[in-house]
Amino acid sequence: MPFFEHHLFICTNERDESASRPSCLPKGSKKLKAVFKDAIKDAGLKHRVRANESGCLDQREHGPVVVVYPEAVWYGKVHVDDVGEIVQQHLMNGKPVERLRLPESCINNEHCPHRNAKSK
Amino acid sequence: MPFFEHHLFICTNERDESASRPSCLPKGSKKLKAVFKDAIKDAGLKHRVRANESGCLDQREHGPVVVVYPEAVWYGKVHVDDVGEIVQQHLMNGKPVERLRLPESCINNEHCPHRNAKSK
């Protein structure tokens, strides 16, 4: 059984500016994590849901990226304005926010059409 | 469905030395992550299994701590010498390494008997 009903990992990886692929940190993912933590607490979910920073989740063209386990729901281009909807709809009511989900064809797929042609 | 068969998160959090509870980083968790990454690659699991650093998983008395999703298996006091067994037995053959699993009574439980009496 999961020991948290939902466990969020928010990519806060930073790559060198010269890297061929972007990274999540410059897109505001540290702030995003802080907003998630506050929203989870405010919703009374503190001991049922946890939000953590993580290293590179390898979906960086879609950053900031968040993955929610154990259900393995991946979100991309998540902004602080989206946090309330994710908390209410997904974390409290079990319905992922479809408009923010990453397409299956993008996840763990080096042929994702959004990747820079230079990347591998 | 999960997009990685197994997704490992290895706590690399560091707290101030004066903190009432310990943290995972000084116990070698950065090295642990590197050893996991190499072992996963060597086992031919690179695109099926991912190992990431994470922020504090709040099981710090048991560090270094690793959680494996989507199955939500928690390991504690994991050392580099344990990595081969976790990769072979759990990640390749689906059988968690029971001797390293955290007791259910310790996870997400502020009354875990291993916590320092001063902590909350």
Side-chain angles (χ1 to χ4, degrees):
Chain A
M1 62 160 279
F3 295 93
F4 294 106
E5 292 174 29
H6 305 283
H7 199 162
L8 287 74
F9 293 92
I10 299 146
C11 178
T12 54
N13 193 52
E14 182 170 31
R15 308 185 98 201
D16 189 85
E17 284 187 7
S18 64
S20 61
R21 296 176 66 192
S23 57
C24 288
L25 188 66
K27 297 175 185 171
S29 56
K30 281 261 187 188
K31 171 72 174 172
L32 184 65
K33 191 205 81 167
V35 173
F36 262 117
K37 282 216 171 273
D38 286 346
I40 287 165
K41 186 177 176 186
D42 291 347
L45 297 172
K46 190 175 174 189
H47 295 292
R48 295 160 53 195
V49 175
R50 189 164 181 88
N52 276 118
E53 295 181 24
S54 84
C56 174
L57 296 171
D58 201 24
Q59 322 300 333
R60 51 200 94 165
E61 288 76 12
H62 307 279
V65 168
V66 179
V67 59
V68 188
Y69 282 111
E71 60 268 53
V73 166
W74 290 77
Y75 291 122
K77 299 192 186 301
V78 182
H79 295 280
V80 293
D81 292 345
D82 300 316
V83 169
E85 187 177 355
I86 292 173
V87 170
Q88 281 290 325
Q89 185 174 317
H90 183 168
L91 306 182
M92 296 189 77
N93 292 302
K95 296 178 186 169
V97 179
E98 296 299 334
R99 71 178 179 84
L100 294 170
R101 287 183 86 160
L102 286 182
E104 194 167 326
S105 57
C106 289
I107 299 170
N108 193 17
N109 178 7
E110 64 184 42
H111 302 297
C112 161
H114 303 101
R115 290 198 187 188
N116 187 307
K118 286 192 300 178
S119 67
K120 57 180 180 177
Chain B
M1 62 161 280
F3 295 93
F4 294 105
E5 292 175 27
H6 305 284
H7 199 162
L8 288 73
F9 294 92
I10 299 146
C11 179
T12 54
N13 194 51
E14 182 170 30
R15 308 186 98 202
D16 189 84
E17 284 186 9
S18 64
S20 61
R21 296 176 66 192
S23 57
C24 288
L25 188 67
K27 297 175 185 171
S29 55
K30 280 262 187 188
K31 172 73 175 170
L32 184 65
K33 191 205 80 168
V35 173
F36 262 118
K37 281 217 172 271
D38 286 346
I40 286 165
K41 185 178 177 186
D42 291 347
L45 298 173
K46 190 176 175 188
H47 295 291
R48 294 161 52 196
V49 175
R50 190 165 182 87
N52 276 118
E53 295 181 24
S54 84
C56 174
L57 295 172
D58 200 25
Q59 321 300 334
R60 52 201 93 164
E61 288 77 11
H62 307 279
V65 167
V66 179
V67 60
V68 187
Y69 281 111
E71 59 269 52
V73 167
W74 291 76
Y75 291 121
K77 299 192 187 300
V78 182
H79 295 278
V80 293
D81 292 345
D82 300 316
V83 169
E85 187 177 353
I86 292 174
V87 171
Q88 280 290 324
Q89 185 174 317
H90 183 168
L91 306 182
M92 298 189 76
N93 293 301
K95 295 177 185 168
V97 179
E98 296 300 333
R99 69 179 179 85
L100 294 170
R101 288 183 84 159
L102 286 181
E104 194 166 327
S105 58
C106 290
I107 298 171
N108 193 16
N109 178 7
E110 65 184 41
H111 303 296
C112 161
H114 303 100
R115 291 198 187 189
N116 186 308
K118 286 192 299 178
S119 67
K120 57 180 180 176

